[in-house]
């Protein structure tokens, strides 16, 4: 096929040269998805069978987009035959096929993070451990880290240095918790997300014939966002590619920002060592952003030592200079951003949906939300509570999970008395304790509850458990025989959940019913798509599709006109015409935890690079001189990252903004000393008393009359010069340098400034 009209020269070579190992370094906005898509289309056009191609992504959204593009290029719905999807979805499919080798059944269910934490919480309680010391989230993170480094519970317990770390952190029982957690998951026929990676490695390690089967099957392997792979993912890909060596990885080391999740930038930096005969392709033309934004981004990332050097360029318009916004406080910052958005929409006829406000931490959204509500700006907080985490949806999903895997203990304990069927906490506690004593799953006990006289349950309670058990077995039978669009409404009705919700006509109840309708709509959509793609439309497949959703897949695709608020981590892969990066202050962005480790500072800089390159046309960098943190107002300093952008790319109209200079920076291995800096005076000096002034001969200025450089008089602070103006309308502020009273930021709506 001739793709020359659709691709630039480097993209075309990366698409056409399909044999051997290839590393595609794709700068921000350079069309990496296009290259992956067209390379797969080229392979198919060359006669490669679709089922011999393995394409791994990090989001379902990315794989859906690529499948759609491939079908548009080639037709015939060929993408449905590809092994294309997220790491977790592809590996879960393989694990279901090979489940018996690892002691699971093919209908195992997958725990999300909340399910895992709930199980860990119950284990901590059973072991009579202090849940403040053994915090469930901290323990879950420790277990996750171990699994991503391929440390099984037995290996974890055998490593003396790890046990010493746990003892030093006053959590010597972590190894025991890990072991019990693994045993409990296995008994429940459950894997968590990390198990999907760990168990794939165990499968390939312990069953070489299975590894050889998949090596033979996957003649061509493609990996998206390779810089985000962790050790477990890296090892699986390396093992699978060893036979044919036809591997193409696409990524950008400059956008490696997930080390906290276990991602290793070394995987992409060391690709040349794993595949010495590799070809390198650098996609350096940015199609998204203005020349100004691209050049500024380059100036930022070039300061990192550990990188694959490239020179990203843009042939778009030069664009507007980057604007730096300085505010007195975080509240003022939020007001300034909201007013600037209003101004741009009014004067440039823009849509709210073309704006995004990015921040380093989730808690920064609060003051922004307050300001947006005050200004009547519609907004959406990206990454807020997922649809599938809502209580009424979680209840239905628990019934569905239990119907396909009766041993799913978290699902069982969640809904055994929802809706209320008089199976109380006392009964549930007895069931759990008895199951632990006899070494059986809780469902195993319920399965034969009529014969468990030693449990000491009343005949009435036993009858209720029998009724519940028979209902679940009925659901399981229906799930095997019928389409998901018949099974889910049936379970929703017969379980009693529908009846319980139908009687609640409060606003909250109406909202819950609407959410259930949306879930039923998604069931219909799943069944229709499965039919169209020739795939099974069974409940097992539907549940798997939900359990394997990623953060970005939580977005419901609503195209309403609102401003997007999100963390920079969540923004990766997205783009907006107009971007505000708020909270650009030392100890916040870069994060305080990174400042004593040069490598972590480099990751913070990569994170800033990602934020900058989300912008297409306009970019604002915003910081505050004070911010409410940990219950009190703290003085803040401008982020070093602002200073790293040359002044030629920033607005020269930032009156009063003095660029901070960083001097005397020293680094030692593994340590970075916070640099000394020369910057504007931001702390107020002691107040100097001003003699009483006769104001009768002076004229009070209106908001619009205050001008830059004007000499003014304030009743309390005396004579001063206006050195900076910011904001608009009634939110306009003036920074005034007063003789003997320092620099003050005044809200002109309330300040009384006079002239002779």
């Amino acid at each position: 096929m001739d793709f020359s009209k659709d691709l630039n020269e480097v993209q075309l070579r990366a698409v056409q040269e399909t044999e051997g190992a290839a590393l595609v370094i794709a700068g921000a906005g350079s069309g990496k998805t296009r290259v992956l898509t067209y390379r797969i289309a080229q392979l198919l056009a060359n006669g490669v069978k679709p089922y011999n191609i393995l394409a791994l992504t990090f989001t379902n959204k990315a794989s859906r987009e690529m499948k759609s593009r491939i079908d548009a290029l080639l037709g015939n719905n060929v993408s449905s035959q590809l092994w294309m999807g997220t790491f977790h979805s592809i590996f879960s499919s393989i694990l279901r096929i090979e489940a018996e080798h690892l002691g699971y059944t093919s209908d195992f269910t997958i725990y999300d993070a909340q399910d895992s934490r709930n199980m860990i919480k119950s284990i901590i309680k059973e072991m009579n451990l202090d849940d403040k010391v053994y915090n469930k989230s901290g323990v879950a993170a420790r277990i996750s880290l171990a699994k991503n480094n391929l440390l099984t519970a037995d290996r974890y317990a055998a490593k003396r240095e790890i046990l010493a770390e746990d003892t030093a952190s006053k959590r010597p029982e972590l190894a025991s918790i890990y072991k019990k957690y693994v045993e409990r998951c296995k008994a429940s026929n459950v894997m968590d997300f990390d198990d999907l990676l760990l168990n794939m490695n165990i499968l390939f390690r312990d069953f070489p014939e299975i590894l050889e089967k998949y090596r033979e099957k996957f003649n061509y392997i493609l990996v998206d966002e390779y810089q985000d792979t962790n050790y477990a993912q890296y090892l699986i890909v390396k093992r699978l590619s060893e036979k044919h060596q036809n591997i193409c990885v696409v990524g950008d080391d400059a956008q490696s920002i997930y080390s906290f999740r276990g991602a290793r930038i070394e995987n992409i930096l060391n690709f040349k060592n794993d595949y010495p005969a590799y070809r390198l392709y650098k996609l350096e033309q940015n199609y998204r952003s203005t020349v100004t934004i691209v050049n500024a981004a380059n100036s930022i990332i070039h300061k990192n030592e550990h990188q694959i050097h490239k020179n990203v360029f843009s042939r778009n318009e030069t664009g507007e200079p980057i604007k730096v916004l300085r505010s007195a406080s975080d509240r003022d910052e939020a007001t300034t951003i909201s007013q600037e958005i209003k101004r741009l929409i009014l004067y440039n006829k823009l849509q709210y949906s073309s704006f995004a406000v990015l921040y380093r931490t989730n808690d920064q959204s609060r003051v922004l939300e307050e300001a947006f509500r005050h200004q009547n700006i519609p907004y959406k907080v990206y990454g807020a509570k997922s649809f599938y985490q809502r209580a009424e949806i979680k209840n239905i999903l628990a019934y569905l999970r239990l119907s396909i895997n009766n041993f799913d203990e978290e699902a069982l304990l969640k809904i055994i008395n929802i809706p209320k069927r008089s199976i109380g906490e006392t009964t549930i506690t007895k069931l759990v304790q008895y199951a632990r004593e006899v070494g059986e799953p809780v469902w195993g006990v319920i399965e034969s509850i009529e014969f468990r006289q030693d449990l000491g349950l009343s005949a009435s309670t036993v009858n209720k458990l029998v009724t519940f058990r028979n209902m679940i077995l009925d659901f399981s039978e229906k799930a095997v025989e019928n389409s998901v669009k018949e099974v889910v409404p049936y379970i929703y009705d017969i379980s009693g959940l529908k009846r319980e919700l139908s009687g609640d006509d409060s606003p909250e109840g109406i909202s819950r019913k609407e959410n259930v309708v949306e879930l039923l709509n998604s069931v219909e959509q799943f069944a229709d798509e499965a039919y169209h793609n020739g795939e099974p439309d069974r409940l097992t497949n539907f549940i798997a599709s939900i359990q394997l959703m990623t953060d970005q897949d939580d977005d419901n695709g609503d195209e309403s006109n609102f401003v997007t608020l999100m963390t920079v981590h969540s923004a990766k892969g997205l783009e907006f015409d107009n971007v505000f990066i708020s909270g650009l202050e030392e100890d916040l962005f870069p994060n305080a935890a990174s400042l004593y480790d040069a490598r972590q500072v480099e990751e913070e800089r990569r994170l800033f690079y990602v934020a900058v390159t989300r912008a297409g046309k306009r970019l604002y960098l915003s910081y505050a001189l004070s911010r409410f943190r940990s219950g009190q107002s703290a003085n803040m300093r401008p982020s070093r990252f602002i200073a790293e952008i040359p002044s030629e790319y920033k607005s020269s109209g930032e009156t009063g903004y003095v660029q901070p200079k960083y001097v005397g920076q020293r680094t030692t291995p593994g340590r970075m000393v916070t640099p000394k800096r020369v910057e504007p005076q931001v702390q107020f000096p002691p107040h100097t008393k001003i003699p009483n002034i006769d104001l009768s001969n002076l004229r009070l200025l209106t908001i619009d009359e205050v001008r830059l450089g004007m000499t003014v008089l304030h009743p309390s602070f005396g004579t001063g010069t206006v050195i900076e103006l910011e904001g608009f309308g009634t939110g306009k502020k003036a920074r005034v340098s007063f003789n003997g009273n320092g620099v003050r930021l005044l809200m002109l709506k309330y300040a009384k400034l006079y002239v002779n």
Side-chain angles (χ1 to χ4, degrees):
M1 298 187 72
D2 182 15
F3 296 137
S4 57
K5 65 181 183 301
D6 300 327
L7 305 168
N8 64 36
E9 182 182 345
V10 181
Q11 290 174 333
L12 188 62
R13 285 197 296 109
V15 164
Q16 292 180 334
E17 296 169 0
T18 58
E19 301 304 301
L23 172 60
V24 181
I25 296 298
S30 63
K32 72 176 179 62
T33 303
R34 175 176 289 255
V35 167
L36 271 176
T37 302
Y38 277 71
R39 188 176 174 101
I40 294 171
Q42 183 71 58
L43 287 169
L44 295 170
N46 290 348
V48 178
K49 302 298 182 187
Y51 46 78
N52 292 139
I53 298 173
L54 172 64
L56 298 168
T57 68
F58 274 86
T59 67
N60 294 302
K61 190 175 181 180
S63 62
R64 282 196 301 267
E65 181 181 348
M66 284 195 282
K67 284 181 178 181
S68 175
R69 292 190 189 184
I70 290 167
D71 287 339
L73 287 170
L74 301 178
N76 300 323
N77 197 31
V78 68
S79 70
S80 64
Q81 301 173 59
L82 294 165
W83 280 72
M84 175 184 281
T86 64
F87 282 88
H88 291 90
S89 65
I90 293 294
F91 296 164
S92 71
S93 296
I94 293 174
L95 288 169
R96 290 190 192 283
I97 295 170
E98 312 296 346
E100 62 180 22
H101 291 90
L102 297 174
Y104 291 84
T105 66
S106 61
D107 58 359
F108 65 81
T109 46
I110 301 168
Y111 275 178
D112 63 17
Q114 187 60 52
D115 294 322
S116 295
R117 289 193 291 267
N118 288 343
M119 179 176 279
I120 288 168
K121 181 180 178 181
S122 67
I123 292 170
I124 291 168
K125 185 177 180 181
E126 290 168 19
M127 294 176 66
N128 294 315
L129 299 172
D130 186 342
D131 60 7
K132 292 183 176 60
V133 177
Y134 290 90
N135 175 274
K136 64 180 180 180
S137 296
V139 174
R142 185 72 167 170
I143 292 172
S144 176
L145 181 64
K147 289 183 177 182
N148 284 326
N149 284 281
L150 305 184
L151 283 173
T152 61
D154 290 338
R155 286 190 63 201
Y156 186 98
K159 286 194 170 287
R160 280 183 289 183
E161 63 272 25
I162 290 178
L163 298 182
E165 284 179 17
D166 292 345
T167 300
S169 69
K170 296 183 170 49
R171 297 185 298 177
E173 296 299 324
L174 275 172
S176 298
I177 297 172
Y178 186 6
K179 185 175 178 62
K180 287 181 182 291
Y181 174 72
V182 170
E183 291 170 348
R184 196 75 53 84
C185 285
K186 195 73 173 286
S188 298
N189 194 33
V190 159
M191 295 187 198
D192 62 24
F193 258 59
D194 298 317
D195 285 326
L196 298 176
L197 304 179
L198 176 61
N199 286 334
M200 277 294 293
N201 276 288
I202 292 172
L203 182 70
F204 287 166
R205 181 197 68 192
D206 294 350
F207 301 93
E209 70 280 6
I210 294 177
L211 172 58
E212 183 59 28
K213 178 173 82 170
Y214 287 100
R215 277 179 177 168
E216 189 63 37
K217 179 179 183 63
F218 299 131
N219 297 336
Y220 294 86
I221 299 173
L222 302 96
V223 184
D224 190 18
E225 304 286 10
Y226 192 64
Q227 78 281 348
D228 292 337
T229 53
N230 60 27
Y231 179 61
Q233 291 163 328
Y234 159 81
L235 203 56
I236 295 167
V237 170
K238 191 169 187 299
R239 282 172 165 163
L240 284 172
S241 63
E242 281 175 348
K243 185 179 183 73
H244 299 290
Q245 296 276 309
N246 290 324
I247 178 169
C248 174
V249 303
V250 180
D252 182 6
D253 57 294
Q255 297 185 65
S256 179
I257 59 173
Y258 292 119
S259 65
F260 67 96
R261 293 183 183 173
R264 305 194 334 161
I265 192 173
E266 294 81 8
N267 293 347
I268 195 166
L269 296 178
N270 295 333
F271 185 84
K272 60 185 178 183
N273 300 328
D274 292 330
Y275 306 92
Y278 84 114
R279 291 190 183 96
L280 174 64
Y281 306 91
K282 293 184 180 181
L283 307 184
E284 296 176 306
Q285 183 173 355
N286 180 304
Y287 293 92
R288 173 190 305 156
S289 306
T290 64
V291 171
T292 296
I293 291 171
V294 169
N295 289 346
N298 284 339
S299 69
I300 295 160
I301 204 62
H302 284 170
K303 290 179 171 57
N304 271 6
E305 179 183 351
H306 301 93
Q307 61 175 293
I308 299 172
H309 288 280
K310 55 189 171 297
N311 185 33
V312 180
F313 65 93
S314 171
R315 290 187 176 140
N316 297 334
E317 62 184 354
T318 301
E320 299 180 10
I322 297 167
K323 294 180 178 61
V324 180
L325 304 178
R326 179 172 68 175
S327 302
S329 68
D330 48 352
R331 287 186 177 277
D332 289 333
E333 178 188 49
T335 300
T336 299
I337 290 173
S338 63
Q339 289 176 341
E340 179 66 0
I341 290 173
K342 280 279 198 182
R343 186 187 72 83
L344 287 169
I345 284 175
L346 177 65
Y347 290 106
N348 296 80
K349 302 293 189 287
L350 303 179
Q351 295 291 306
Y352 286 113
S353 56
S354 69
F355 289 85
V357 183
L358 310 182
Y359 36 80
R360 181 64 179 80
T361 59
N362 276 306
D363 59 351
Q364 290 172 250
S365 73
R366 182 183 60 81
V367 290
L368 289 163
E369 290 185 69
E370 289 176 2
F372 280 27
R373 285 196 293 269
H374 183 71
Q375 294 286 335
N376 293 318
I377 295 175
Y379 68 90
K380 176 182 176 182
V381 181
Y382 192 100
K385 192 173 185 180
S386 165
F387 174 80
Y388 293 102
Q389 294 298 322
R390 292 178 169 91
E392 62 276 10
I393 303 301
K394 288 282 278 185
N395 289 339
I396 298 175
L397 293 180
Y399 270 103
L400 304 184
R401 283 167 44 188
L402 191 60
S403 299
I404 60 176
N405 175 15
N406 300 153
F407 293 93
D408 186 335
E409 188 170 298
E410 284 302 311
L412 169 62
L413 297 179
K414 181 174 184 61
I415 50 84
I416 192 171
N417 197 39
I418 296 177
K420 293 189 182 302
R421 48 178 62 92
S422 299
I423 301 175
E425 285 299 320
T426 302
T427 300
I428 295 170
T429 300
K430 283 185 178 180
L431 284 170
V432 172
Q433 289 178 345
Y434 181 85
R436 304 288 182 258
E437 289 168 5
V438 300
E440 293 183 42
V442 176
W443 176 260
V445 175
I446 294 175
E447 265 191 317
S448 56
I449 194 67
E450 304 99 316
F451 310 104
R452 306 280 183 158
Q453 287 86 357
D454 51 339
L455 240 170
L457 299 177
S458 67
S460 171
T461 300
V462 169
N463 286 336
K464 289 164 188 167
L465 288 168
V466 167
T467 301
F468 173 75
R469 177 198 66 196
N470 292 343
M471 178 181 67
I472 298 300
L473 291 174
D474 173 51
F475 294 165
S476 298
E477 186 177 333
K478 291 284 193 302
V480 171
E481 297 174 351
N482 299 282
S483 166
V484 64
K485 62 182 179 182
E486 297 168 337
V487 174
V488 175
Y490 178 81
I491 292 176
Y492 177 49
D493 184 10
I494 302 301
S495 66
L497 291 175
K498 182 177 182 179
R499 183 177 62 255
E500 183 181 57
L501 275 181
S502 65
D504 185 356
D505 292 324
S506 67
E508 295 80 7
I510 292 170
S511 177
R512 284 192 283 268
K513 282 183 275 193
E514 289 173 347
N515 289 334
V516 172
V517 170
E518 184 60 31
L519 176 67
L520 296 176
N521 289 340
S522 74
V523 169
E524 291 278 346
Q525 184 179 6
F526 173 85
D528 291 343
E529 289 178 358
Y531 175 79
H532 176 72
N533 294 328
E535 297 171 350
D537 64 346
R538 293 298 184 260
L539 180 59
T540 300
N541 305 84
F542 174 69
I543 286 295
S545 72
I546 292 175
Q547 292 172 325
L548 292 166
M549 288 182 73
T550 66
D551 294 346
Q552 286 197 3
D553 297 317
D554 283 346
D555 185 16
N556 61 15
D558 183 2
E559 296 298 328
S560 299
N561 191 21
F562 50 71
V563 176
T564 298
L565 306 180
M566 63 189 349
T567 65
V568 182
H569 282 101
S570 297
K572 187 169 176 287
L574 304 178
E575 58 185 80
F576 303 88
D577 282 348
N578 311 287
V579 170
F580 291 78
I581 308 173
S582 67
L584 275 170
E585 297 132 29
E586 289 292 296
D587 297 345
L588 181 57
F589 199 177
N591 190 276
S594 72
L595 296 181
Y596 297 102
D597 186 324
R599 288 252 180 177
Q600 288 189 36
V601 170
E602 289 206 351
E603 175 147 340
E604 288 289 300
R605 187 175 286 111
R606 291 195 295 270
L607 188 61
F608 182 54
Y609 173 84
V610 167
V612 167
T613 54
R614 297 313 92 199
K617 295 182 178 178
R618 295 180 185 86
L619 176 63
Y620 289 79
L621 309 179
S622 175
Y623 72 94
L625 299 176
S626 69
R627 186 170 296 275
F628 201 76
R629 305 180 77 185
S630 304
Q632 60 185 2
S633 181
N635 289 328
M636 307 299 289
R637 298 165 298 186
S639 169
R640 66 189 66 190
F641 297 149
I642 299 175
E644 291 178 356
I645 298 176
S647 58
E648 63 195 273
Y649 304 128
K650 293 182 290 198
S651 173
S652 59
E654 290 300 324
T655 309
Y657 174 76
V658 181
Q659 186 68 62
K661 297 177 181 177
Y662 293 82
V663 296
Q665 183 165 315
R666 305 185 310 278
T667 59
T668 55
R671 179 176 176 81
M672 175 170 285
V673 178
T674 304
K676 294 181 292 183
R677 46 178 72 72
V678 180
E679 62 186 39
Q681 174 68 35
V682 297
Q683 294 180 334
F684 297 154
H687 178 56
T688 300
K689 185 171 179 59
I690 303 296
N692 288 335
I693 300 171
D694 182 6
L695 301 176
S696 59
N697 296 320
L698 301 178
R699 183 170 65 84
L700 179 64
L701 293 168
T702 66
I703 292 175
D704 294 330
E705 287 179 321
V706 179
R707 294 283 184 269
L708 204 61
M710 180 180 282
T711 299
V712 296
L713 190 141
H714 188 279
S716 298
F717 304 133
T719 302
T721 302
V722 179
I723 61 172
E724 184 179 6
L725 293 170
E726 62 185 54
F728 308 94
T730 57
K732 193 172 184 179
K733 305 182 192 72
R735 196 173 302 277
V736 182
S737 178
F738 289 102
N739 301 332
N741 271 309
V743 177
R744 304 277 176 167
L745 183 67
L746 305 175
M747 177 73 79
L748 294 180
K749 179 179 179 180
Y750 304 110
K752 295 188 184 327
L753 295 180
Y754 294 82
V755 291
N756 288 319

